[in-house]
Amino acid sequence: PFWLELAPAALYLTGLMSTRCRPPQPRAARATLASAAALAVLLMCVLSPCSTFSLPSRPAPLAGGSQRRPWRQRGPQIAGRRVANVLLELLGVDLDADRKALKAELLDLIAAAGRSATGDDAIPIVAAFEALEQKNSCEAPVQSPMLKGDWELLWTSSDSILGLGRPWLFRPKDDKPIMQFLDPENTFARNLEYTPLGNNKVEATIAPLSSERRSEFVSRLDDFLMFKYGANEQSGGTYLPQESELERSTVGVRFNFFTLFGWLRIAAPESATGILQVTYLDEDLRLSRGDRGNLFVLRKMSREMIE
């Protein structure tokens, strides 16, 4: 009988959840054991001949005798995933614990080092950045509604964005945010910084990037106005996302206008392009990579543009 197949796993789970007869275990160890136990139960459910989680291997014919379009047998996988989630929830296992811990670690490191941390101070930030990228659950960030909004720059490896090589009067103020507004649906982007002489703004058009147009958007604007003055950066095209990920995770950027000090508006040259990939996205945090190899950590401040 099917219930007999579950008996060993049920006994194991009972022992696992009882902490009176064993020394306390670290939270991570308990979560790992509980996950293994739930997986054992799940496999029994899915593989059992009495299981109700299997779906027919062939679709039912439509009226008139025609067949449905080719169908991949994902029924057991989907049902199994749902059962696993329910079991883990019942066991009190936080399915998102690792991602939340990595996110908190990255934010703590940035809070301690500041948005302009470089050198040895940036090493743990980069390590946490790359670890959190691996936990990204948003498969198509460019199409996600979470991407729209005004994002505050928390940390970057880009000298030009931080203005580290510029004279003091032209640098972004340390006590003011550096903002980036993205609206993929309306193909609009805006960068905003606050300097002692006034606000600088860059307006751009963005669109999902295809492999055919990737080389067209590689950054070529190495010396224009003051934005890259004194910056020690790699050339455009140093980092390029894989072609299979482009349209889901990456936008091509074409800069249109630069506004200096809040009043001087200058049209951007044709060479003012760039590539921006979103490598992690959730409701309030975004990680991105530019084609010069720079890394960006941003926090959403508003869904609408802040002036």
Side-chain angles (χ1 to χ4, degrees):
F2 179 56
W3 64 270
L4 284 178
E5 296 180 13
L6 298 180
L11 289 173
Y12 179 77
L13 290 176
T14 303
L16 176 69
M17 300 309 293
S18 173
T19 57
R20 294 182 180 179
C21 302
R22 65 182 66 189
Q25 297 174 331
R27 184 180 301 175
R30 291 201 304 270
T32 302
L33 289 173
S35 301
L39 180 60
V41 175
L42 169 63
L43 289 174
M44 291 178 187
C45 292
V46 173
L47 298 178
S48 168
C50 303
S51 172
T52 59
F53 300 118
S54 300
L55 293 181
S57 58
R58 293 178 61 86
L62 295 172
S66 62
Q67 295 290 324
R68 297 181 189 270
R69 60 186 178 182
W71 176 62
R72 292 182 297 175
Q73 299 178 29
R74 299 185 60 193
Q77 298 174 15
I78 296 171
R81 191 179 300 115
R82 290 173 180 167
V83 173
N85 289 342
V86 171
L87 288 171
L88 291 171
E89 241 180 74
L90 291 174
L91 291 168
V93 177
D94 188 349
L95 302 176
D96 223 12
D98 287 347
R99 183 191 66 81
K100 290 177 181 176
L102 286 170
K103 179 178 175 179
E105 178 186 0
L106 175 61
L107 294 176
D108 287 345
L109 288 168
I110 292 172
R115 73 183 179 195
S116 59
T118 58
D120 291 343
D121 292 335
I123 292 176
I125 295 177
V126 172
F129 181 103
E130 293 175 344
L132 186 56
E133 282 182 317
Q134 301 304 312
K135 296 295 182 180
N136 180 41
S137 60
C138 185
E139 296 182 356
V142 171
Q143 282 81 43
S144 171
M146 292 189 295
L147 186 56
K148 181 185 176 182
D150 222 343
W151 299 81
E152 178 188 0
L153 181 69
L154 299 180
W155 176 82
T156 181
S157 60
S158 171
D159 286 356
S160 64
I161 296 296
L162 296 170
L164 298 181
R166 304 182 213 165
W168 173 76
L169 285 174
F170 299 94
R171 291 183 193 174
K173 293 181 178 179
D174 291 336
D175 61 345
K176 291 289 187 178
I178 298 175
M179 305 295 297
Q180 182 179 69
F181 178 74
L182 297 179
D183 185 357
E185 186 177 352
N186 293 306
T187 69
F188 177 75
R190 183 271 288 132
N191 291 347
L192 176 65
E193 65 180 20
Y194 301 85
T195 77
L197 295 178
N199 304 341
N200 295 330
K201 181 168 63 174
V202 182
E203 298 167 80
T205 300
I206 59 173
L209 188 63
S210 63
S211 57
E212 294 79 11
R213 303 189 67 189
R214 186 170 63 170
S215 60
E216 177 185 340
F217 283 91
V218 168
S219 298
R220 297 183 177 87
L221 194 63
D222 294 315
D223 186 17
F224 181 69
L225 300 178
M226 62 182 177
F227 291 99
K228 294 190 178 296
Y229 182 85
N232 181 25
E233 292 192 331
Q234 301 181 80
S235 59
T238 298
Y239 169 80
L240 290 175
Q242 297 180 4
E243 292 191 8
S244 60
E245 302 174 351
L246 278 179
E247 294 191 33
R248 295 184 292 110
S249 68
T250 309
V251 293
V253 183
R254 187 171 298 282
F255 299 101
N256 299 320
F257 294 97
F258 294 82
T259 302
L260 305 182
F261 319 129
W263 59 271
L264 181 59
R265 199 162 191 250
I266 302 172
E270 286 294 322
S271 59
T273 54
I275 293 175
L276 182 69
Q277 182 187 28
V278 179
T279 57
Y280 174 91
L281 181 67
D282 65 26
E283 293 83 0
D284 60 5
L285 190 72
R286 169 166 63 93
L287 307 185
S288 290
R289 290 177 178 262
D291 68 302
R292 293 179 182 269
N294 291 316
L295 310 181
F296 305 91
V297 179
L298 304 100
R299 171 177 56 200
K300 183 180 282 189
M301 302 302 292
S302 170
R303 180 166 169 78
E304 302 304 325
M305 187 163 57
I306 301 172
E307 290 295 347

